Amino acid sequence: MLNRSTSLISLATIDPDIEPYRDQWEYDAQPLAVGAVRNLAEAEISLCARCQNIDIQSFARSADRRKGYLLKEVEAAADQGCQFCRLLLDAVRDAEKPEYFYSNVFGGKTTLNPDLYVHMTIAESYKDETLATPSQGLRANRFLVELGDRFSGVRNPSNHEICIAADPESPAALSGDVLGRYIGGDPSSTSHYETAQSWLQACASHSKCNETVSGSIHIDPYHAPLPTRVIEIARESDRQRLYLRYTDGLHGAYITLTHRWNEFTGRCITTTSNIEGRLLGGDFGELPQLFRDAFIIAEKLGIKFIWIDSICIVQQGDNLIDWRREAPKMAQYYQFSVFTLAGTAVDMTGGLLQPYTKDAVPWSSKLVRLPYRDKTNTITGNFYCFRRRVPVVDEYMDQVRSSILFHRGWILQEWLLSKRLLWYTPYGLFFECQQELPRSYDQSYITFTRAGSDLQAHLQLKALFHFSNNDILGFWYPALEVYSGQHLTKPQLDRILAIAGLAREVGSILANPKRLPRLENETQNEVYVAGLWLRDIHYGLLWEEHHTATPYTSKVEEAPSWSWVSLITLVRWPGRSKGTKGTLRVTGICFKRQRRHDIPDHLIFDGCRLRPLNAMTEQPTFDPFNMFSCLHIRGKLHTVHVRGYLETEENLKCAALSTSYSPIPKSCNWRAICSALRPEVIAGWGSLEQLDPHPTACADVGIAVYALSVSTRYLCDGLWIKKSVLVLDVLFLEEVEAGSNSFRRLGVGRIGDGELIDEFEEAEERDFHLV
């Protein structure tokens, strides 16, 4: 098999029986000097004879949709002024030239210097697909450019994207041969609205985009339950007029707007004093341009209702009564809307529809016009080629995923739950839906394999959020890791609320993964406690402050110390290991904060189900808004000592390897953990973000804390003879008050020292509660 990832190849590895490379290059006209061509239009004069005779249909006659030009002929034609050859030459200029050799009889290698070719493969957004059917056309928007010899199959790709595009009504476009478009620099143009409408129409047939994430409800976005209130965009005397409407259970089509709150959006909020006037079509205050543009876009796309939180929810004058009633419904509002509208510019004062800057064109080279030949070999127009200014995956990452809008805490839920999103960026439109990868204004799809690791993780997160995912908790924790680092204006109120919609859908999937009708109401039996799932509590408790995070500076006072919700900081969970077993047992839960929690309100049975302690306690129901829970636990507590920080990279590596932790951190705030009996031996590590400094503590002995055994895992050790070494996952605790039997979390860690683990084994189990 050929190793295409290397620039070296032994010709002895080539199968002599392989079918020859059939590219039909021999039928191409030979390149002529540009000066030899007479009486052609200006654009044609800038092409050599071969490029003037290029036939896009000839790509379809090759099994792999590939053609190629001899590199030295491309160089010669480019020197003579051929713009297309210049474009190809620039594309491969930085590509590594493959080295070809064969092994000789003396055990060495003999280097060959075959002629190199510029290979072009016609494709749609780098898809590895079979040839499109004739009725569909070539469906191309890219030339994949590579450098290599003619026959071996080893080629090195160009780092540049060579795009092909056509005017919307041109024969090249109407035939389906060329998909690429340029829709101009004015986002208020007809071509922009037509592009958005075509995206919405294409999405209408997507199954994932027309059902809730849990698969429990089919969604018709044009006949969906309307939010409690919406803004109606009416046309009166050829002028736009707005009404705030109570929907009273009506169905229809609406869009949602996601945005960052600022002084401008704050000037038009709905209050108890202006709501009546707005219901009558009265003054909506000083509307920011962002909102005005949203109304225009909705009207242009034929949608008369829009939901904006600051206007459709009463924000002042009722002690947050309406907000508390409406906020839990936001997840449904985004999930049922036709699409969510978003602007990603840092400064949104100019709105969504301000023209793009002059440098916001997709190309960084001259537009090269090539003749378009139809299937009868008749020239019926032109199409265009250009080198893309920024690869589309990088542009999406820069303009959408890395935008300031994605720093909002609420955006994660809105992005994941919205079935369709229309992103207005400073460089052009992007569209994404639940079923397909995002696509850009030039009709290019994001290609997963060309994305960096950060963008791949981002795209995977969206794909994993669906009932077809057999490991929905494998989605939950990465989503929390992203969310924990985002900004909330009111974290004390919103830390749990801003992911309640995600929790509701995940709970439904956990309770009924196969969507069996008899289990439709089983979600009520799922136990969700302060951002974690009781069925997975042994893993959920093992969060730690992310190694790259700055130490936390504020807490969510209502949240329990054992939950990630309690600290305003970026958090992470460790990788899961096979054979991990829980060593503690949650015996009961209190859902309300009390002066003492000696007796639980609810008891646990079957590992993760609840029943009331007595008839006076209400029957528990699934609550995605739960902020506080007290865990009643039966497990083993043992005193250990916390010593200094593991400051060197070598110490961190040893601590990670000895406790089966990966990836190995290069820097973090881990501290050495020791047995009280052997303070000189490092028995494990601890990430103790909530341990208060003890200036009087003896450095030689350390600070005494409790360690709670949460779970066990095994480390495979030994070079030749493998053996399994036991490792403990632990929480570090302190007692809230002496003798209270109530403990709070200080941090998390692992213990790999056998003697300290033996001390845990000898300890007696005890009952206590964690707050």
Side-chain angles (χ1 to χ4, degrees):
M1 177 178 289
L2 299 178
N3 184 356
R4 298 174 184 270
S5 63
T6 179
S7 61
L8 302 177
I9 179 171
S10 169
L11 295 186
T13 65
I14 300 176
D15 185 351
D17 296 324
I18 194 169
E19 184 180 353
Y21 184 23
R22 301 188 184 280
D23 46 41
Q24 300 188 4
W25 295 349
E26 60 270 23
Y27 301 115
D28 286 340
Q30 294 301 307
L32 299 176
V34 172
V37 182
R38 297 287 185 267
N39 300 323
L40 294 176
E42 181 179 350
E44 294 175 324
I45 291 176
S46 62
L47 299 176
C48 65
R50 175 167 55 192
C51 293
Q52 292 172 32
N53 290 315
I54 194 169
D55 179 8
I56 195 172
Q57 307 298 333
S58 67
F59 287 89
R61 294 193 287 270
S62 173
D64 45 19
R65 300 173 67 140
R66 184 181 298 116
K67 291 173 64 69
Y69 290 168
L70 194 63
L71 176 61
K72 59 187 178 184
E73 293 180 352
V74 172
E75 292 171 335
D79 288 341
Q80 292 291 317
C82 177
Q83 290 187 7
F84 186 58
C85 287
R86 168 59 56 189
L87 184 66
L88 294 177
L89 188 61
D90 289 344
V92 299
R93 192 180 302 279
D94 299 329
E96 182 183 3
K97 292 185 178 180
E99 181 181 347
Y100 301 91
F101 66 92
Y102 66 88
S103 300
N104 58 40
V105 295
F106 302 106
K109 67 177 184 180
T110 299
T111 301
L112 300 176
N113 293 294
D115 287 333
L116 295 180
Y117 287 77
V118 179
H119 298 257
M120 297 173 288
T121 304
I122 201 166
E124 179 187 357
S125 300
Y126 302 97
K127 291 180 181 177
D128 183 13
E129 59 184 355
T130 57
L131 189 64
T133 61
S135 61
Q136 295 176 314
L138 291 171
R139 299 188 58 80
N141 59 15
R142 289 288 189 278
F143 279 135
L144 313 186
V145 180
E146 300 168 301
L147 184 65
D149 75 329
R150 186 167 183 175
F151 298 106
S152 74
V154 173
R155 299 175 292 272
N156 286 336
S158 166
N159 292 324
H160 300 285
E161 289 191 8
I162 305 302
C163 303
I164 58 178
D167 294 323
E169 299 301 320
S170 66
L174 296 176
S175 68
D177 285 336
V178 179
L179 297 182
R181 301 287 184 272
Y182 175 58
I183 58 178
D186 181 6
S188 63
S189 67
T190 300
S191 59
H192 277 72
Y193 293 120
E194 289 177 346
T195 298
Q197 196 68 266
S198 69
W199 287 338
L200 293 172
Q201 290 170 356
C203 183
S205 61
H206 296 165
S207 58
K208 280 188 176 181
C209 301
N210 293 291
E211 62 186 1
T212 56
V213 171
S214 60
S216 57
I217 301 175
H218 175 76
I219 299 172
D220 179 355
Y222 292 92
H223 189 69
L226 295 173
T228 302
R229 302 182 197 92
V230 292
I231 303 162
E232 181 182 356
I233 306 160
R235 180 64 53 176
E236 297 179 1
S237 301
D238 204 32
R239 293 182 60 187
Q240 192 181 79
R241 186 170 181 180
L242 306 176
Y243 293 88
L244 186 62
R245 298 292 197 198
Y246 279 101
T247 59
D248 297 322
L250 295 176
H251 288 61
Y254 68 97
I255 68 173
T256 43
L257 175 70
T258 181
H259 66 95
R260 291 181 297 124
W261 279 56
N262 54 38
E263 60 175 310
F264 303 104
T265 59
R267 291 173 186 170
C268 61
I269 61 172
T270 294
T271 67
T272 52
S273 60
N274 65 22
I275 186 171
E276 292 300 327
R278 293 183 173 187
L279 292 170
L280 298 173
D283 185 18
F284 275 74
E286 190 179 344
L287 288 169
Q289 192 62 45
L290 169 64
F291 290 5
R292 295 179 184 275
D293 286 351
F295 301 145
I296 293 172
I297 293 168
E299 190 174 29
K300 290 286 188 180
L301 294 177
I303 299 171
K304 63 184 294 187
F305 297 125
I306 185 170
W307 185 88
I308 304 175
D309 55 357
S310 56
I311 295 178
C312 296
I313 300 176
V314 176
Q315 303 290 333
Q316 283 183 6
D318 67 341
N319 293 320
L320 296 180
I321 291 174
D322 191 57
W323 187 89
R324 292 180 186 277
R325 183 169 51 238
E326 285 297 296
K329 303 176 185 177
M330 290 185 192
Q332 175 181 315
Y333 294 167
Y334 283 96
Q335 196 161 198
F336 281 60
S337 68
V338 175
F339 66 89
T340 294
L341 186 61
T344 67
V346 173
D347 182 5
M348 292 301 302
T349 55
L352 299 167
L353 298 178
Q354 55 182 331
Y356 309 133
T357 58
K358 291 183 179 180
D359 65 340
V361 294
W363 50 80
S364 62
S365 66
K366 291 182 178 179
L367 282 174
V368 179
R369 188 171 67 179
L370 294 173
Y372 170 73
R373 286 176 167 82
D374 61 19
K375 290 181 174 59
T376 67
N377 200 34
T378 302
I379 296 179
T380 58
N382 302 283
F383 66 99
Y384 302 89
C385 293
F386 59 88
R387 184 176 68 248
R388 210 176 196 283
R389 175 181 50 82
V390 177
V392 66
V393 291
D394 295 337
E395 187 168 2
Y396 175 84
M397 188 69 181
D398 292 342
Q399 298 298 319
V400 178
R401 179 62 185 89
S402 299
S403 69
I404 192 170
L405 185 66
F406 247 100
H407 294 169
R408 286 181 61 235
W410 284 90
I411 189 64
L412 181 71
Q413 177 171 268
E414 295 163 3
W415 168 64
L416 286 168
L417 287 172
S418 294
K419 297 304 173 185
R420 289 155 291 272
L421 296 105
L422 191 58
W423 303 99
Y424 277 76
T425 82
Y427 285 86
L429 288 179
F430 277 90
F431 177 80
E432 64 180 294
C433 67
Q434 187 74 36
Q435 185 156 314
E436 293 188 339
L437 291 169
R439 62 195 305 175
S440 73
Y441 49 88
D442 62 353
Q443 301 298 343
S444 301
Y445 278 98
I446 299 295
T447 307
F448 185 80
T449 54
R450 298 180 72 89
S453 57
D454 287 347
L455 181 53
Q456 285 189 352
H458 170 80
L459 297 172
Q460 281 179 320
L461 198 62
K462 181 94 171 175
L464 290 172
F465 190 38
H466 192 257
F467 70 86
S468 60
N469 177 12
N470 293 326
D471 179 23
I472 195 63
L473 290 179
F475 153 83
W476 178 252
Y477 296 105
L480 294 186
E481 291 176 352
V482 173
Y483 171 71
S484 66
Q486 294 177 317
H487 174 71
L488 289 167
T489 306
K490 302 176 182 178
Q492 301 293 333
L493 206 59
D494 296 347
R495 186 75 163 164
I496 279 289
L497 194 58
I499 56 165
L502 303 183
R504 190 186 297 277
E505 293 298 319
V506 170
S508 180
I509 295 171
L510 288 171
N512 189 9
K514 296 183 179 180
R515 297 189 299 162
L516 301 176
R518 60 184 176 83
L519 297 179
E520 285 183 357
N521 298 319
E522 194 66 15
T523 304
Q524 296 304 318
N525 292 321
E526 282 299 320
V527 184
Y528 179 70
V529 284
L532 297 175
W533 302 93
L534 183 59
R535 65 160 63 212
D536 198 39
I537 198 66
H538 295 94
Y539 180 74
L541 290 172
L542 299 181
W543 60 273
E544 65 174 308
E545 192 170 51
H546 200 284
H547 302 155
T548 62
T550 54
Y552 82 95
T553 56
S554 59
K555 295 183 178 182
V556 176
E557 297 300 333
E558 181 64 18
S561 66
W562 50 264
S563 170
W564 61 272
V565 177
S566 62
L567 301 185
I568 308 299
T569 189
L570 184 66
V571 301
R572 70 180 303 275
W573 275 262
R576 289 188 186 265
S577 299
K578 289 184 177 180
T580 301
K581 293 183 179 180
T583 55
L584 63 78
R585 186 160 57 90
V586 180
T587 59
I589 296 180
C590 295
F591 287 113
K592 295 180 180 179
R593 189 179 290 278
Q594 305 167 21
R595 192 175 66 85
R596 294 184 65 89
H597 293 276
D598 297 330
I599 301 174
D601 295 332
H602 299 85
L603 299 177
I604 309 296
F605 70 100
D606 288 348
C608 59
R609 290 176 175 263
L610 296 180
R611 65 166 173 253
L613 178 66
N614 53 52
M616 302 295 293
T617 305
E618 292 183 5
Q619 188 70 27
T621 58
F622 176 72
D623 181 10
F625 314 109
N626 172 259
M627 176 74 85
F628 174 81
S629 296
C630 168
L631 301 180
H632 288 254
I633 289 174
R634 183 168 181 78
K636 292 186 176 183
L637 286 176
H638 186 64
T639 301
V640 298
H641 284 201
V642 180
R643 297 190 62 188
Y645 290 96
L646 302 174
E647 295 178 338
T648 69
E649 202 169 320
E650 184 62 28
N651 283 342
L652 290 172
K653 181 178 179 180
C654 290
L657 290 175
S658 64
T659 57
S660 190
Y661 186 96
S662 66
I664 298 172
K666 293 186 179 297
S667 65
C668 63
N669 292 322
W670 282 2
R671 299 179 68 165
I673 303 299
C674 308
S675 166
L677 303 177
R678 294 176 301 120
E680 74 283 1
V681 177
I682 297 178
W685 58 266
S687 175
L688 292 106
E689 65 282 338
Q690 298 189 72
L691 179 64
D692 292 331
H694 289 65
T696 61
C698 176
D700 292 335
V701 177
I703 304 167
V705 299
Y706 288 101
L708 167 64
S709 175
V710 176
S711 56
T712 60
R713 65 183 67 228
Y714 288 91
L715 168 67
C716 289
D717 192 25
L719 182 60
W720 302 108
I721 301 176
K722 299 293 184 182
K723 61 179 181 178
S724 295
V725 178
L726 188 66
V727 175
L728 289 187
D729 297 311
V730 297
L731 291 186
F732 299 107
L733 312 175
E734 68 176 359
E735 198 166 14
V736 176
E737 294 179 8
S740 66
N741 207 34
S742 181
F743 293 82
R744 68 166 65 96
R745 180 191 193 272
L746 298 176
V748 68
R750 289 186 186 176
I751 294 171
D753 176 66
E755 293 190 33
L756 182 51
I757 292 174
D758 289 340
E759 293 178 31
F760 272 90
E761 293 292 333
E762 294 170 3
E764 295 288 335
E765 285 191 334
R766 58 181 288 189
D767 295 300
F768 59 94
H769 42 276
L770 200 54
V771 294

